[in-house]
Amino acid sequence: MLFPYQAIGATFLAARNRALLCDEMGLGKTIQAIGVVNATPNASDVLVITKAGLKLNWLRELRRWLVNPTLRDSVGIADGKVFPTTRVVIANYDIAHVWPKSLARMWDIVIVDESHLLKNPATRRAKAICGYKPKRSENPSLARSGIPAKRKVALTGTPIENRLEELWTVLWWLDPARFPSKWKLLKLAGITYSDAGTSGPTDRGMGALQRFLRENIMIRRLKKDVLKELPPKIRTMTVFSGGDLDELAKRENAMGRQFAEQQEEAAAEVELAKASGSEEEYREAVAKMRTIGTVAFEEMARVRHELALAKVPAMVEAIKERLEETAKIIVFAHHTDVLEQLHSAFSGSSVLVHGGHAVAVREASVSRFQNDPNCRLFFGSIRATGEGITLTAATLVMFHEFDWVPSKMMQCEDRAHRIGQRDTVTVEVCVVNGTLDS
């Protein structure tokens, strides 16, 4: 069931063959984009371009939200070696240049997620997806056509990261007639050729550009705009995969199956011993079953620790991306060494609190996070910081690890969702594909 603002967004996108959705993070851009597919009954070829780490998330959401069973049952993921023959294809930016012929066919719908990654038109990914328009000083033969589509949708929570002209590449792909050059975009914002490089757009110029974009191609809502429609908490899941993470996931699965078989055998022995009437045999069988359970827990905990450490690079990248869209983030994990590795990646702009810190250090860290705009990250232990502190400066809570007790994680969420919090809190759990957590 879509929230009212999501239904409005999907309607806006579906009413146009070219559209840019710029809702703030956490408002459900993915669901609204899938709504465009649902609103296009004759769509049979759909392409989604996203980041490598988000392909599995798109796969899950497409299978959940697509209403056309023919499309829902035919979703495939492209990689550097295989381009699927499914009706819906999910590909990542970094392999777009590998499949020029496969991407060159006329698609019914192309959805480009995280479209701000196309801000530089000279990059390989931008040329493969959006095409390339050579500069006057360049050879005209360098011109490239972008991915063709009857309907094009671009998604981003940060349409302009640094400079206004960064928005041009995706606008040119969406609507080359309205945005034939970056100068057309700058002119809409009141910037002349002579002004370029010396001054940015004025507030008036940006206001005029925003009106033009909203009237023609763009829709953008912030959480504060739709707060009355949002629940107190929004939960999302991000799935990591690839390399060592996949191997560790396989080990965890194999271990789980092995322990399950051992416990089934031990339980059968307990029942046989009970039937025999021998108190000694029964006690031995029960002790064996308990030992298997203890070993299973210890071994599983060790593998989960390895997984948590292996996830750190992917988590660091995910945090960097979220910081482009939100001011402050709370990140919870279980193991101290995992927290310390995450903290070291953002040491100048973060605080760390775990069970080894004194109360005074903990209070100082909480105070800094709450009051210092330059302190953007709070890294905390699930058990040590899940109670008794207020972290309402953030509206995004990320979990790097899970606790065995779900209520402990809910207590962590409530560090941000407490009295004094006026905004909806987004809770993002980050898991490895195919693991117990996922």
Side-chain angles (χ1 to χ4, degrees), residues 259-288:
F259 286 134
E261 291 170 0
Q262 291 176 351
Q263 286 179 318
E264 286 180 8
E265 293 175 1
E269 291 180 18
V270 169
E271 292 303 317
L272 289 172
K274 186 188 297 184
S276 72
S278 170
E279 184 72 19
E280 183 178 354
E281 288 182 14
Y282 178 71
R283 287 180 178 176
E284 289 178 356
V286 170
K288 180 180 178 181

Side-chain angles (χ1 to χ4, degrees), residues 22-48:
C22 301
D23 282 355
E24 188 178 7
M25 180 187 66
L27 295 186
K29 292 187 287 294
T30 300
I31 296 171
Q32 294 176 71
I34 296 173
V36 176
V37 183
N38 290 334
T40 311
N42 60 342
S44 60
D45 287 301
V46 179
L47 173 66
V48 176

Side-chain angles (χ1 to χ4, degrees), residues 150-354:
K150 297 174 184 176
R151 174 164 283 170
K152 299 178 180 180
V153 180
L155 316 176
T156 178
T158 52
I160 301 171
E161 290 188 303
N162 297 300
R163 301 184 306 278
L164 175 58
E165 55 262 36
E166 293 173 348
L167 181 58
W168 174 73
T169 311
V170 70
L171 288 175
W172 177 59
W173 173 69
L174 287 170
D175 194 343
R178 279 201 178 98
F179 303 97
S181 70
K182 73 174 182 179
W183 300 112
K184 174 67 175 179
L185 174 65
L186 295 176
K187 184 178 179 181
L188 288 168
I191 300 175
T192 64
Y193 187 85
S194 59
D195 293 331
T198 60
S199 63
T202 62
D203 290 343
R204 182 177 179 181
M206 283 300 293
L209 174 61
Q210 187 172 140
R211 284 192 297 274
F212 181 86
L213 292 175
R214 288 181 181 274
E215 289 170 0
N216 292 284
I217 200 170
M218 183 186 80
I219 183 170
R220 175 169 171 79
R221 282 79 54 90
L222 306 178
K223 281 184 179 178
K224 65 181 182 180
D225 300 328
V226 295
L227 194 58
K228 292 181 180 179
E229 300 179 28
L230 293 173
K233 295 179 186 176
I234 298 174
R235 289 187 175 87
T236 66
M237 183 168 73
T238 293
V239 182
F240 299 143
S241 64
D244 292 342
L245 295 179
D246 291 343
E247 291 303 314
L248 286 167
K250 290 177 183 177
R251 280 178 52 194
E252 185 193 81
N253 278 316
M255 187 179 296
R257 289 192 298 270
Q258 177 185 347
F259 286 134
E261 291 170 0
Q262 291 176 351
Q263 286 179 318
E264 286 180 8
E265 293 175 1
E269 291 180 18
V270 169
E271 292 303 317
L272 289 172
K274 186 188 297 184
S276 72
S278 170
E279 184 72 19
E280 183 178 354
E281 288 182 14
Y282 178 71
R283 287 180 178 176
E284 289 178 356
V286 170
K288 180 180 178 181
M289 187 167 68
R290 287 175 175 168
T291 299
I292 290 172
T294 300
V295 171
F297 181 85
E298 291 174 351
E299 288 295 309
M300 189 64 74
R302 181 177 58 80
V303 173
R304 284 162 62 86
H305 188 186
E306 289 183 49
L307 265 167
L309 288 168
K311 279 168 64 177
V312 168
M315 189 67 172
V316 168
E317 289 305 308
I319 292 170
K320 288 179 179 178
E321 291 163 9
R322 307 302 181 270
L323 286 173
E324 294 175 358
E325 300 186 49
T326 191
K328 290 177 181 274
I329 304 173
I330 308 165
V331 181
F332 287 107
H334 176 68
H335 293 94
T336 299
D337 54 351
V338 172
L339 285 164
E340 288 174 343
Q341 285 192 25
L342 290 169
H343 172 57
S344 66
F346 303 92
S347 57
S349 58
S350 67
V351 292
L352 169 64
V353 177
H354 55 65

Side-chain angles (χ1 to χ4, degrees), residues 77-93:
I77 293 179
D79 57 32
K81 297 180 179 180
V82 177
F83 195 92
T85 57
T86 51
R87 292 184 179 276
V88 181
V89 177
I90 306 169
N92 55 295
Y93 283 96

